[in-house]
């Protein structure tokens, strides 16, 4: 019973069925901290939100009743930070997947604040909630006609020096253009950045991936020697880089939650047994330990290591305008939906999109 089904009452007075997940992802599909913080906390106070399946557009109600952990994904969580005390007061655990790239020269992330501003936000967040709860993502890794593997390593090194001591993990993935037609179409707007004006040239070859991993291993050793024991991991990649000390990551990370949120006995019980504790007739609990594979989120890609969670974001709603984004059909569609957003709506965008 990893996600319970319950009955809830909507604001309109309708009784509906809702999923009641313990772990909520906010969100792989859009930057809720940057653009929808007010909406998120309004929904949290009202106890539920409405989510539309991106493939069949069917609505699903999501209750916050059982929520013990929220995983935030963001490139600019500054707008959400003033609200964090509300989560602390409610006793809800949370951590951040913070993507902090340096593609300013390429213009791949046109809607983001400056790199310096994002670095300061990262540091402020880590000071506020602790370095274990802010994961640095340099994601995805892209090469261009003027940015090769050595250049990427130089940028990772430069950003890492600014984040030294403010996080314990750096996560990366390699851009996948061939699998996502919309990414290739979006990258055509900057096609002159790539060899032969072909965006597919932005992908790293197998040899490039190995070369980059070697460079990252050297960086990690240097940082360890300097007193920063940062871990490095890939996100949803099949390539085995363990010989370089680079592991496969779990972004919705069961083991990390067990460690960082160990004081939350209800959460730990869920992470062991797949359900929140229920008292038996004698005041104890009767549960069977679940194998780790039972927690895997089967709705994600094959090589994704995440445990099961409920994502409440929606595609075509992030105005950052990142050229490599897989979650927007177009920047125009994202802007249109963002402008129609109301912070008191049940869903991020009222009605189907």
């Amino acid at each position: 019973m990893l996600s319970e089904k319950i009955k809830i009452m909507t604001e309109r007075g309708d009784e509906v069925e809702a999923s009641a997940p313990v772990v909520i992802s906010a969100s792989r599909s859009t930057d809720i901290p940057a653009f929808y913080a007010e909406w998120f906390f309004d929904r949290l106070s009202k106890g539920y939100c409405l989510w539309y399946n991106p493939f069949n557009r069917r609505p699903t109600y999501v209750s916050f009743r059982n929520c013990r952990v929220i995983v935030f994904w963001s490139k600019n969580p500054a707008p959400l930070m003033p609200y964090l005390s509300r989560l602390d007061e409610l006793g809800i655990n949370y951590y951040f997947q913070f993507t902090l790239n340096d593609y300013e020269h390429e213009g791949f992330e046109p809607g983001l604040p400056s790199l310096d501003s994002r670095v300061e936000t990262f540091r402020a967040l880590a000071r506020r909630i602790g370095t274990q709860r802010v994961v640095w993502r340099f994601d995805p890794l892209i090469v261009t006609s003027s940015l090769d593997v050595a250049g990427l390593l130089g940028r990772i090194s430069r950003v890492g020096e600014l984040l030294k001591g403010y996080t314990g993990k750096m996560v990366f993935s390699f851009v996948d253009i061939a699998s996502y037609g919309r990414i290739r179409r979006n990258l055509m707007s900057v096609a002159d950045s790539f060899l032969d004006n072909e965006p597919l040239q932005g992908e790293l070859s197998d040899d490039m991936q190995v070369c980059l991993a070697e460079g990252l291993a050297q960086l990690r050793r240097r940082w360890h020697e300097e007193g920063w024991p940062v871990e490095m991991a890939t996100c949803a990649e099949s390539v085995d880089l363990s010989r370089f000390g680079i592991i496969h990551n779990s972004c919705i990370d069961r083991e990390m939650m067990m460690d960082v949120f160990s004081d939350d006995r209800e959460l730990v019980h869920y992470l062991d047994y797949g359900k929140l504790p229920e008292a038996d007739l004698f005041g104890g609990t009767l549960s069977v330990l679940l194998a780790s594979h039972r927690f895997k989120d089967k709705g994600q890609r094959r090589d994704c290591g995440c445990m099961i969670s409920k994502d409440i974001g929606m595609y075509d709603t992030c105005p950052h305008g990142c050229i490599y984004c897989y979650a927007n059909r177009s920047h125009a569609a994202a802007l249109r939906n963002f402008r129609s957003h109301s912070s008191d709506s049940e869903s991020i965008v009222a009605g189907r999109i």
Side-chain angles (χ1 to χ4, degrees):
M1 192 177 62
L2 289 169
S3 185
E4 183 182 5
K5 297 289 186 180
I6 64 172
K7 294 290 186 179
I8 65 168
M9 195 72 69
T10 70
E11 295 169 276
R12 299 179 304 279
D14 300 325
E15 186 180 65
V16 298
E17 184 178 74
S19 64
V22 174
V23 182
I24 285 178
S25 169
S27 155
R28 293 182 179 91
S29 303
T30 194
D31 197 328
I32 286 176
F35 299 109
Y36 302 103
E38 184 178 354
W39 170 83
F40 176 81
F41 281 92
D42 179 69
R43 298 320 309 169
L44 190 63
S45 68
K46 292 175 179 173
Y48 76 96
C49 70
L50 181 60
W51 175 81
Y52 288 95
N53 186 299
F55 303 107
N56 59 29
R57 306 299 192 224
R58 291 178 181 171
T60 298
Y61 286 92
V62 181
S63 168
F64 294 102
R65 188 184 77 175
N66 292 339
C67 179
R68 303 302 311 147
V69 181
I70 299 168
V71 182
F72 292 110
W73 309 68
S74 186
K75 294 179 179 177
N76 178 29
L80 185 103
M81 289 171 63
Y83 295 91
L84 292 180
S85 59
R86 296 193 193 179
L87 293 177
D88 298 332
E89 291 164 2
L90 291 169
I92 296 176
N93 307 293
Y94 57 93
Y95 67 95
F96 284 78
Q97 296 283 340
F98 193 141
T99 299
L100 185 51
N101 301 330
D102 179 8
Y103 293 123
E104 288 190 314
H105 178 74
E106 288 73 21
F108 288 163
E109 301 168 331
L112 294 181
S114 70
L115 178 61
D116 289 343
S117 174
R118 286 178 283 137
V119 166
E120 183 47 44
T121 296
F122 193 108
R123 290 172 166 178
L125 182 60
R127 287 192 293 263
R128 168 71 172 76
I129 68 174
T131 60
Q132 288 181 292
R133 293 163 64 187
V134 189
V135 177
W136 170 33
R137 305 177 70 88
F138 201 112
D139 177 35
L141 296 176
I142 310 173
V143 292
T144 72
S145 56
S146 59
L147 180 64
D148 58 10
V149 169
L152 273 176
L153 286 167
R155 294 193 189 182
I156 294 169
S157 175
R158 187 161 57 249
V159 175
E161 290 297 323
L162 297 171
L163 300 182
K164 186 181 294 184
Y166 287 93
T167 184
K169 181 182 282 188
M170 179 263 189
V171 176
F172 64 94
S173 71
F174 303 109
V175 70
D176 185 356
I177 300 169
S179 299
Y180 296 94
R182 67 179 62 179
I183 294 181
R184 185 177 181 276
R185 289 193 298 271
N186 291 340
L187 285 170
M188 285 303 297
S189 65
V190 290
D192 58 354
S193 296
F194 304 101
L195 294 174
D196 302 322
N197 292 330
E198 172 49 70
L200 289 173
Q201 298 297 326
E203 294 187 357
L204 281 76
S205 67
D206 292 347
D207 288 343
M208 287 178 176
Q209 292 180 16
V210 169
C211 183
L212 185 128
E214 290 175 338
L216 288 177
Q218 293 173 13
L219 269 180
R220 191 189 67 251
R221 281 195 296 270
R222 191 188 82 205
W223 284 336
H224 280 214
E225 290 169 358
E226 294 171 351
W228 183 28
V230 65
E231 186 178 28
M232 291 184 175
T234 58
C235 175
E237 294 288 350
S238 60
V239 60
D240 182 4
L241 301 177
S242 58
R243 64 188 184 278
F244 303 109
I246 297 170
I247 63 173
H248 292 291
N249 197 49
S250 300
C251 301
I252 310 290
D253 191 340
R254 177 172 171 248
E255 297 305 317
M256 179 264 207
M257 294 180 206
M258 292 278 282
D259 180 30
V260 177
F261 306 131
S262 59
D263 290 341
D264 186 333
R265 297 180 64 182
E266 288 190 355
L267 174 62
V268 171
H269 187 279
Y270 170 79
L271 295 173
D272 275 335
Y273 301 107
K275 62 181 181 179
L276 294 172
E278 298 174 341
D280 62 20
L281 293 175
F282 305 100
T285 57
L286 294 173
S287 300
V288 177
L289 283 169
L290 296 185
S292 60
H293 69 85
R294 294 282 301 277
F295 290 86
K296 179 175 170 53
D297 190 339
K298 297 178 181 178
Q300 301 302 319
R301 289 170 289 176
R302 182 192 65 185
D303 295 306
C304 176
C306 288
M307 71 165 287
I308 193 167
S309 65
K310 176 57 186 170
D311 198 296
I312 60 170
M314 296 170 70
Y315 286 175
D316 298 314
T317 60
C318 183
H320 280 317
C322 300
I323 301 297
Y324 53 76
C325 180
Y326 68 88
N328 287 340
R329 287 172 296 179
S330 69
H331 186 46
L335 284 176
R336 183 171 60 251
N337 287 317
F338 174 67
R339 288 165 180 160
S340 71
H341 163 74
S342 172
S343 60
D344 60 2
S345 172
E346 288 183 316
S347 65
I348 285 179
V349 174
R352 300 186 181 191
I353 61 173

